[in-house]
Amino acid sequence: MDPTRPFAGVPSPEGTPAVPDPGPLLRSASRGDQAAFAQLYDLTAARVHGLALRVVRDPAQAEEVTQEAFLEIWRTASRFDPDRGSPLAWMLTITHRKAVDRVRSAEAATRRDVTYHQQNQPVEHDSTAEAAHASLEARRVRGALGTLTPVQREALELAYFGGYTHTQVASMLDLPVGTAKTRIRDGLIRLRDTMGVGQ
């Protein structure tokens, strides 16, 4: 399998059984084994595409995100550290990051269009103040997210950007449900304290 070719016809994750441990295939792929990478793709494509589709909510965009994620997995397989999580969680984290980047890119394009139209219309003082407040609030949220630990941020992103339940987050990160809930709760507490909510 050529790891640079488009990944068309990605299967749907519905009804897909639990994915066996992709670790050995990932390790072989990290040494340039294209056959192992092809097997890794076949083993995990449904889960990767399912996550991409859940985030971007557009089948064509989800296939592109899936392709981008597998290309990065191929290029960076040697960087996978089993001490920091399961192979599947690492792959899904890459996928989630690519999907969120795609959503942000689309939102940025939409904002550019909106800005263009707003600049060609009279803008009232109140709407200017509201836009400034929203921009400051977004900056505060981004700053607060930066204070989270990597495991807290990963769990929060899956739960709130990805829209997954605690049980699904636990499954994707290969964690007990209680541990996933704790990471999400602790992350939310840190966000609240950093942003001064309720103070």
Side-chain angles (χ1 to χ4, degrees), residues 155 170 175-186:
L175 297 170
V177 174
T179 302
K181 287 182 178 179
T182 298
R183 288 184 182 179
I184 293 168
R185 185 197 65 221
D186 291 349

Side-chain angles (χ1 to χ4, degrees), residues 6-183:
F7 297 96
V10 179
S12 168
E14 283 81 8
T16 303
V19 176
D21 178 21
L25 293 173
L26 184 61
R27 284 190 293 275
S28 295
S30 73
R31 296 189 291 271
D33 185 337
Q34 291 191 17
F37 182 74
Q39 293 178 47
L40 179 69
Y41 171 81
D42 291 340
L43 185 66
T44 59
R47 293 287 295 274
V48 168
H49 181 258
L51 174 57
L53 183 59
R54 179 135 189 176
V55 176
V56 302
R57 302 184 186 282
D58 176 84
Q61 295 278 336
E63 286 201 11
E64 291 183 17
V65 168
T66 300
Q67 176 182 346
E68 291 172 6
F70 274 105
L71 284 172
E72 181 164 339
I73 290 164
W74 168 255
R75 292 181 186 128
T76 63
S78 61
R79 298 183 201 165
F80 168 67
D81 181 359
D83 293 333
R84 299 185 63 185
S86 71
L88 185 59
W90 178 76
M91 294 173 68
L92 291 175
T93 298
I94 289 174
T95 305
H96 186 264
R97 187 170 62 246
K98 293 287 185 186
V100 169
D101 287 348
R102 180 62 64 102
V103 170
R104 287 175 178 161
S105 177
E107 288 174 348
T110 300
R111 281 195 299 272
R112 284 193 297 271
D113 290 342
V114 169
T115 299
Y116 173 80
H117 291 296
Q118 287 177 342
Q119 287 174 345
N120 290 286
Q121 296 176 2
V123 180
E124 296 180 3
H125 175 74
D126 286 349
S127 63
T128 302
E130 184 178 316
H133 178 75
S135 177
L136 289 171
E137 194 65 21
R139 197 172 304 133
R140 285 183 66 213
V141 171
R142 284 195 298 273
L145 283 170
T147 68
L148 300 180
T149 66
V151 294
Q152 289 171 343
R153 188 166 54 249
E154 179 181 48
L156 272 179
E157 284 182 345
L158 289 174
Y160 292 96
F161 289 123
Y164 287 92
T165 66
H166 290 172
T167 301
Q168 290 170 324
V169 170
S171 174
M172 292 166 66
L173 297 180
D174 200 20
L175 297 170
V177 174
T179 302
K181 287 182 178 179
T182 298
R183 288 184 182 179

